[in-house]
Each structure stands twice: as C-alpha cells, then as structure tokens.
Amino acid sequence: MTFRIPFYIKALTAGLLFCLVTGLETTTLAQSVNKEDSSSSGTIVDFYNRHKITSDEPGIHEFSFWGGYSFHSTNGVWGQTTGAELGVMGFRYNRKLLRFSNNYLLKYVMEMNLHVQYHLSGTTQNVSASSLSGFGMTPIGFQLNFRDNHVLQPFFKSSAGFMHLTDPFPDKRGTKFNFTLEVGGGVEIKFTEHSSFTLGYKYHHMSNGQFGQVNPGVDSNVFYGGITIF
C-alpha cells in the first residue's frame, strides 16, 4: 500500500510555512524602510538572525503537563461522528524560536498525548457505542504568543500528528492508527519567573486519512489547562 499523507496535514504544514514566511518577509521589509543602512539584504535569513532566541538564553526550553476534555463532538469541518466524548492528558515540550517587535514570541511545540480516551455514544449512523483508549503525538506544531513579557499572554496554536488506539476507530472497519489536526488558542498566565499556567481551547480532528474501509472522523471541542516550567 502506498503511503498517503492526508490533505489536511499537507494544508496545515503549507499554511504554517506560508504564514511564517509571509510574516517574516513583511516585518523585515517594514523594518528595512526605517533603516539608513542600505546594505541590509532584507532576507528571511537576516530577520531570523536578528530575532532568533539563542540556546544560551534562560528559559528557552519549556516543559508542560496538561489535561483536557471535550464533552461532545460535532458534525464539523471533517468529522462526521457526533456525541463522542474525549479525555486527554499529556506532556508538551516548547522551544522558543523568535522574539520580534517587542511583543511577539514564536515557539516550536511538540506534544505527547500520554493517555487518550474516547467514548462513542452510538448516536451517529453506523457507529456503535464503545470506548477506545490510546496515545498520540504531535511533532508538527507552532505557538505564537502575544504581549510577550507580560503576565497575561494570549496565544494562537496549531499542530498536527497521529494517534494510535487500542482498537480500530470507529470499529473493525476503521484503523488503529489515525491522523490528528488541531487549531486553537488561549491565554498563558505567568505567575513566577520560571512557571506559568495555561487555559486554552482547541478544535481537535481525528481520522484515518482514507486508509480504512470507513472514515467517519471525529471533531472535538477540547478545553484544557496545564502547568509550564521553563
């Protein structure tokens, strides 16, 4: 079987790269207008070199423990399974990448979903009531914090990865291995110099990317909270 990456994984990756490149170019050009030094090339590399966060800066690495819950799933953008509950808890690693305009902080995000629990109510046609557990990982992720260096920092976050369940989703016609996509935001509340508390929401999608006989998918509204140490 030829491996196929779902279109929404490709779209997320392309979208993140486009936003990052476009944002960096726009900021670079805006700053170049005010510079008297005409020798500046105005490239993305120049911007990165000026605003990158070096490895010797304190707090560059962040470690979070978090948990969240979705009370119901919706017949949403991709998912067709309704009435599914989702509980998840995990570990997150953030690496601060760029700080610019004295207001924005861009982080790379990788999450390990240590435990995932789905409860399917059976309200969707051809999907029986059941309970599925598993784990997952999101190796592709970015978070943009606003109001950097403030106590309250709103943020936007998006990531993509996979989830492996103990049983096929939604039943034997599906697969144990599924792809995930999530997008959302929240607020990071810094309460000491080396720790913060996060409250957030994410729209979480899971499906098998057409590898199974059926692919109903499930879209969940996950509310979560966590503690970050850096």
Side-chain angles (χ1 to χ4, degrees):
M1 179 183 293
T2 303
F3 180 76
R4 298 167 295 172
I5 301 176
F7 77 94
Y8 54 82
I9 301 293
K10 297 178 181 178
L12 172 68
T13 304
L16 288 171
L17 290 175
F18 175 79
C19 292
L20 180 60
V21 170
T22 303
L24 297 184
E25 287 182 333
T26 302
T27 306
T28 301
L29 292 174
Q31 291 178 346
S32 297
V33 172
N34 297 323
K35 287 184 176 291
E36 296 180 358
D37 184 7
S38 60
S39 63
S40 175
S41 60
T43 64
I44 297 175
V45 175
D46 292 334
F47 179 91
Y48 176 79
N49 289 332
R50 286 197 302 271
H51 300 286
K52 68 180 180 180
I53 300 176
T54 59
S55 58
D56 58 350
E57 179 172 324
I60 188 173
H61 303 288
E62 300 182 343
F63 303 92
S64 302
F65 294 94
W66 64 278
Y69 196 81
S70 171
F71 294 93
H72 70 281
S73 59
T74 60
N75 191 353
V77 180
W78 295 293
Q80 302 172 4
T81 304
T82 60
E85 298 178 26
L86 169 62
V88 57
M89 59 178 295
F91 169 81
R92 176 187 300 159
Y93 165 73
N94 303 331
R95 203 284 189 184
K96 296 175 182 176
L97 298 177
L98 299 172
R99 181 180 288 113
F100 51 97
S101 299
N102 296 319
N103 195 42
Y104 304 102
L105 175 64
L106 180 67
K107 307 177 186 180
Y108 163 74
V109 179
M110 180 183 70
E111 289 184 349
M112 286 292 298
N113 297 325
L114 303 177
H115 179 72
V116 175
Q117 188 76 43
Y118 276 100
H119 294 287
L120 308 181
S121 65
T123 56
T124 301
Q125 186 178 8
N126 297 324
V127 176
S128 302
S130 62
S131 182
L132 304 172
S133 61
F135 66 92
M137 181 177 182
T138 58
I140 305 173
F142 293 94
Q143 177 173 313
L144 180 63
N145 281 38
F146 302 88
R147 291 171 51 85
D148 184 33
N149 295 322
H150 288 72
V151 174
L152 295 178
Q153 300 181 22
F155 67 85
F156 171 82
K157 175 180 172 291
S158 185
S159 59
F162 66 87
M163 190 176 292
H164 187 275
L165 302 173
T166 53
D167 297 292
F169 170 81
D171 51 40
K172 63 182 181 180
R173 298 169 299 166
T175 61
K176 293 183 179 180
F177 184 89
N178 291 268
F179 298 96
T180 61
L181 171 67
E182 55 188 34
V183 59
V187 60
E188 185 173 349
I189 307 169
K190 189 175 181 181
F191 54 84
T192 73
E193 286 297 317
H194 302 286
S195 61
S196 64
F197 179 71
T198 298
L199 289 172
Y201 161 83
K202 57 185 177 182
Y203 189 86
H204 182 276
H205 170 76
M206 183 190 75
S207 65
N208 62 38
Q210 306 300 330
F211 281 94
Q213 297 178 25
V214 297
N215 183 33
V218 56
D219 288 355
S220 303
N221 298 287
V222 180
F223 297 90
Y224 66 92
I227 297 292
T228 301
I229 301 172
F230 43 88

